[in-house]
Amino acid sequence: MRVDILQKIEGEAFLRYRFKKGRIEHVKIEFPHYRGVEEIMRGRPAEDAVAIAPRVCGICGHSHLIAAAEALENAAGVTPPLKARYIRNVTLGCELIQNHIKWLYLVILPLLKRMGFREVPFFEAIDKSATAGKIIAIFGGQYPHTSYAVLGGVCSDPTLLEIQKAKLFAKEIEDFFHSEVMEEIERFSEFKDSRGILKEIYIFLKHKELLDIGRAHDRFLNLREGTKILGLKRVSAKLRYVSTAPSGIGYAKNALYKGKYFEVGPLARRIHTPFVKDLHRRYKDGLFTRIAARVYEIKILLSQLKETLKKIEPQGDSFVKTDSLAEGTGEAVVEAPRGSLIHRVKIKKGKIERYEIITPTQFNLSNGTSLNPGPAQKAVIGLRDRSEAELVFRSFDICSVCTTH
Amino acid sequence: MSKPTKKEQRKIEIMDTALRLFSKEGFFAVTIADIAKELNMSVGNLYNYFSSKEALAKELIFYISKILGTKIREINMMDIKTKEKIEKIVEVYFNTAIERPELIDYFLRVYLSHKEIFKEGCEGMICVSPFVTEIMIFFEEGVRNSELRDQDFFTAFGLFMGYLGGMVYLKGEGMLPNDLKFYTRSISENIYRALKSED
Amino acid sequence: MKTKALWLQGVSCNGNSHSFLNYEGLRELLSKVEFLYHPLLPSRLRIEDLADFTEDIDILVIEGAIKKEGFLRGKKEFFRLFQKLKKKAKYIVAVGNCASFGGVFKEYEADLTGVGYSKGEKIADFENLINVPGCPAHPEWIGSVLSLLCEGCEPELDELSRPAEIYSYTVHAGCLRNEYFEWKVDSATFGSKEGCLFYQQGCQAPYTGGNCNKILWNGVSSKTRAGMPCIGCTEPGFPSRDLFKTKTYMGIPARMPKGVPKRAYLTLTGVAKSFKIDRLNNPLMPKGPGCEKEES
């Protein structure tokens, strides 16, 4: 048994490898320490959920915020005004953008460097991820950890000039992305003649024959959209079939859909775009497809960001007042940086009686058995090199702090 | 507190005299000249203190608020239960009505009945703030200590002060068979019961 | 030679690490400071190397709450690492509310504490502790304190070991809604540019330390400017309950602005409320038609 510490992800995880004839036969993933966020929620006034939820995670707390606000709205039977929904889409999208940029430059590239890739300075990238935070701050006051999304809408009422400023910031990120990370292309056929970090990673991994390692179950979930994807076939998926089960190790629970392990995240969300589809045809749900899907998602998010910013009309309402939320149950699913994130809440006499959070990493890093492994476990079976296995793990963009909320 | 200057003392004499005259003859019947005459001073000199009858009217209400506010403040500072404070406030109010009826009289019959005189310079709380602030503090502390029920301030204020004002008014109209003091206990009890917290 | 710093996490959400990455002077700071270990940035040491680490360090940055038992960093008990490193450090900088006072996860595990304080109570006597609370701490608070220490200067601290220069301001200072506070015009609803959030929405800015509205967040705004009540995240009592409602006793806010006697506040309130200022009771600006939309 070899125990590695997966670090400089969001928090840490222990990887307990079992080798057979020099190859990984099985790996147990242990997330240490439970912080009790669901317990902290219990007994608090329902409205407090939006203040506590972001504290689950420093990098995707905004997704937890939106999930909490929507779970309360679901319980109250309230639909926030259109303008509030647009604004939430803007800030949520920006959280994904800053996450993906940081993941590429701080989680993936340093490991690739250890494997022989060139040194890539990260300051400009970090600066651009901070720019995404500026857009969130225009609407939400600050990033990380605002609680500007509340039951019934958002707190802010942005002016036209503020929206203009957000557009300017979006353009800055876009310019950086297209000049440094990947050119504006739609298909893999164009990729070969393009330039950027992603292309370099492609060449590097191709040279090392690592493009298609790390294949998982080729089963995906996009719960916000309400679909599961099996062999590229999209069928409807319902939240009620999501369940959790003890993982038998550490504090994290496994997350399953109808009793099976599924992959969530950018690959699940973008598998039907021409670019990712092309890659999937070649490399299946392997390492490069997974990495490229997350990078390519930045491009999609940036163009959605521009479109949504145009739709925010100053004259609309940001908030609709609800009678105090006394009783009810609600659930919500948000596509967070790492995939489908579920919040469930039960409210009694205005207080939170039960709160449940199921995070994307619980899906992707479920601890199965060697016969029925979780997605990431499956993806490293058969590998000889622990650095390669680590790279595969990192391609899932693991959040330990979320998982041990 | 520093001792009032001679001028301030004179001002107080003027106000006390005015209040007495207003109470006896009626606010509109009394002129600045009447007040000056009562004080053996010239009208011109009186104008050095108050530029008009309206200015005097406004200062009077502030003066009364301060007198009552100071007394309630003393009660607020006492380390006693809210229930006892209620009785002390009722006592203060009735004692003032008995000993210096012109103060309460002015408040009820001039200030509350002729808002047009006070509309500029005495808007809202401005001229009654020393009194209302103390009542606010009384209520706030009562609720904070869980002795009183949390509710809208003016609902509670109206119940307390409207009640007391009403009793003094009835007394003034000669409709009460007994002395005001006779009612202190039962009125305090009623107010407490109406305001107290449920558990 | 570069200043040697080491960033160690207790029970945390990573929020301060990420907040720190937003520091505008990050590049300049990292030319002066080497993080021997940092949870996100590339560093010389891996977390497991801390077990045998014996060097002296200039600055130990702690993020997250202190847990005495049953909490690993690397393969070692966090508390043992912390005990060892704090003796090696010239300064300890506790970033975030968790490291300063115990913070949000203390609500679940009552025995969590900050480095030198448990809520507002001092539990250890450190002469070299600087608390930089906030949930998270503002990047500039972290960055400029570290850079100050690099140059051999020390910030003046308040009674909670926080840099006075940052926390003597209230969050209220500089809020765009100050006029509404002055004239006691409350914001009847969320999602509005107008009105003060102190009367109904639970805003704690008037009694919370922090220069949020002086230096602004992410260089552009602040929670209160964006219509979100301050939730008091720099103070030992964080997180209090019922964060989006003002606790009142018969309509009077239960907590007064910092240092303001109740009597003084109520006197002023009564007077301010006696006037209705039209400008402050009307929308701040017309909600125009905005941009021409493309035909859809």
Side-chain angles (χ1 to χ4, degrees), chain C residues 44-58:
Chain C
R44 172 146 65 88
L45 301 175
R46 291 170 305 166
I47 188 78
E48 55 267 43
D49 299 334
L50 298 183
D52 304 317
F53 181 78
T54 52
E55 293 168 40
D56 285 339
I57 46 179
D58 299 303

Side-chain angles (χ1 to χ4, degrees), chain A residues 352-365:
Chain A
I352 297 167
E353 189 178 66
R354 192 168 45 76
Y355 206 94
E356 187 190 9
I357 299 171
I358 303 172
T359 68
T361 302
Q362 282 176 262
F363 283 99
N364 290 337
L365 271 78

